[in-house]
Amino acid sequence: MSDDAQPILRLALPSPLRRLFDYRAPAGIAAARLQPGMRLRVPFGRREVIGVLVEKVAHSEVPADKLKAALELLDPRPPIPPALFRLCLWTAQYYQHSLGDTLSWALPVLLRQGEPAEARQERFWHLAEDARLDDPRLTRAPRQREALKALAQHPHGVPHALLSKLELNKDSLDLLREKGLVRIEVRRHAQTPPPTHWLAQPELPLNAEQRTALEAVRAGFGRFGAFLLAGVTGSGKTEVYLQLIRETLEAGKQALVLIPEINLGPQTLERFSRRFNARIALLHSAVNDRERLDAWLAARDGEADIVIGTRSALFTPLQRPGLIIVDEEHDASYKQQEGLRYHARDLALVRAQQEGMPIVLGSATPSLESLHNAHAGRYALLRLNHRAGGAQAPRFLRLDVKSRPLDSGISPPLQQAIAQTLAAGQQVLVFLNRRGFAPTLLCHDCGWVSGCSRCDARMTLHQRSNELRCHHCGHVERRPASCPQCGHVDLRPVGAGTERAEERLAILFPDHPVLRVDRDSTSRKDAMANLFATIQRGEPCILVGTQMLAKGHHFPRVTLVAILDADGGLFSADFRASERMAQLIVQVAGRAGRAEEPGRVIIQSHLADHPLLVQLTEQGYFAFAEQALAERRAAGLPPFAHLALLRAEAHKPGQAEGFLDDACGLAEQLLAEQRLYGVELLGPVPAPMERRAGRYRAQLLLQANARAPLHRVLGQLLPSLENLPGGRAVRWSLDVDPIDL
Ligand code: ADP
Ligand code: ZN
Ligand code: ZN
């Protein structure tokens, strides 16, 4: 029996399959009422899932008797605004990801679970209009009288959730309500009116460079335009953001600010909330699901003026989009490395274009991609070349540690420099991008090393916890007392991590506090805040840490920055390693001398005369970047080429490569059939670390000089990969524009 009058609903479901699923409208609901973006509960296999209506069509390929009806419509109106829906469609298409799964990543988890997509309703307790505190019925009920009096202190009512916090007795209030002295009103949750003055704090008068930058962006308000704000550390980029945001708010629009994960220190957030009276919605990993949905709804309904968050905040809908800022645009945390492998900075550009607003990408060390876009005229380049507020740029010293004795990674000249700085009453920052005590434990008798049983990697020694830990798969073992291979007890830590540097520095400088900042030391909730409090007090001390220390922080008393080991970035096989090293060095160096006293930076390296290092330290990041771009161009690497990486992993050796061989064959066939030129297939090859967490991994790289043919072939390749028989035993994923190979 066919039912031609009723259109078929095509839904995106939370499934990795790159297709939509067809259903009939739920019983009793006219299909005409259903609009794209609405959520429906549907039967899916043996489960029920929540899907999003994408379109209504006249016919389905599914036979009518197999077509199931949706069970329930969850929304009276589409919760996902059209602009966000369009962005998700673009994202799914570009990253070759299923739309349903894309929506799962993009939407707050409670929305995916079917929570109403309306601002939360809340009960407020109020005094009745005609209630009198001396009501005669209360003469013998002192507790009710107290409760009434207490409630009278709150002319706007008391939210139900706050009753106990305000020591309001619920039973008394119930009794008062029966007497008609108290009433309950249901209101939208936390609806605060927009402030009358946006500024809570006066603005700094901008210097000439800042003003030029501000005016360039402001002239572009109301339409798309991309700006690369390249300003040295401490040049006042944040001040420019703040003033642009104020202009945006004054224009009646909302601003979206993306910050890297690592910058979520209280310092950054405080700076925004101190400046503005605005309603700020925060979206980051520490926010719980309910808060996340509330923030999302507030932004969508125009009740948040500023949205600040990490990567996924990009998908926050804005009722009145005005401006996007991506701070530290070069930061790797903008790229999601699992599931939907999107780059929030790149998508932010797409979004700004789709919604017609300016976007500002800011960094002291712009990515080569963004610099290339600026050179090509796609972004307007705005430079801030001087530190604001008169602080001087730090001086660099490359310290050759070839054949020098290293004491837990610290050379004698560095020790002297640290001693000098402390003696002058200043602070020292020691940077080492390696957690733990030592990256390897070695048997001095037989040469056994602490390999991970599940990975092609060494286990790191963590002395404090007396453990060996694999930083790749999380595997943990107790530290062996003797060699597992020969039984001897002479096991020696090789190399130094932050724990070891900390221990050594504490012995070398017993009169000064040594504070370690890395993922191990800051896992406790307030650790970071306490640490910053100590640093801000300003007494001489030594900070030892990983890149958590590198970014965004303002440490006015730090005048010496020491980079213990710059060699990794010069040796690595990954073509982006030198770019990352340069960014890290400049960012860490930027912590030095941010106030009156000038700062210096000591870089220890076995390759102190390496041309890249020389150029970076003598001519600065931009000279380095031009050189690096020239090399990328010559080698045909991004941003002069476009990459997509197909990864596969399996429990048995050879399986992943077998699957990728088939994929490669399919891709070759597609390229030939369609006469697509300029797409190269490289591989399959074993991944750089072939075995990780017990799985064997391989990869196939697709490299193209233009995006169009690459995306054409990917668009057809992926659906067929879903059907490859070899695919059952492997886990595979596609990474478009991968940032690590
Ligand atoms: P960035 O974001 O580029 O690292 P910030 O905006 O944090 O730089 O500014 C660095 C320091 O300079 C801060 O202490 C800030 O208050 C100060 N500053 C910024 N702009 C000005 C200005 N126009 N006049 C005086 N001080 C400024
Ligand atoms: Zn041994
Ligand atoms: Zn491991």
Side-chain angles (χ1 to χ4, degrees), residues 262-278:
I262 214 119
N263 258 20
L264 265 172
Q267 281 184 320
T268 315
L269 300 180
E270 252 175 42
R271 217 161 146 193
F272 283 82
S273 49
R274 256 187 290 134
R275 175 65 59 91
F276 296 111
N277 295 316

Side-chain angles (χ1 to χ4, degrees), residues 592-610:
R594 287 177 61 103
E596 305 77 48
E597 301 118 7
R600 57 184 172 145
V601 182
I602 296 180
I603 304 175
Q604 293 192 152
S605 172
H606 289 88
L607 298 167
D609 295 325
H610 193 290

Side-chain angles (χ1 to χ4, degrees), residues 204-207 210 232 234-239 271 388-389 554 594:
L204 296 172
L206 298 183
N207 63 35
Q210 286 173 314
V232 300
S235 59
K237 294 183 292 298
T238 310
E239 186 61 36
R271 217 161 146 193
H554 186 58
R594 287 177 61 103

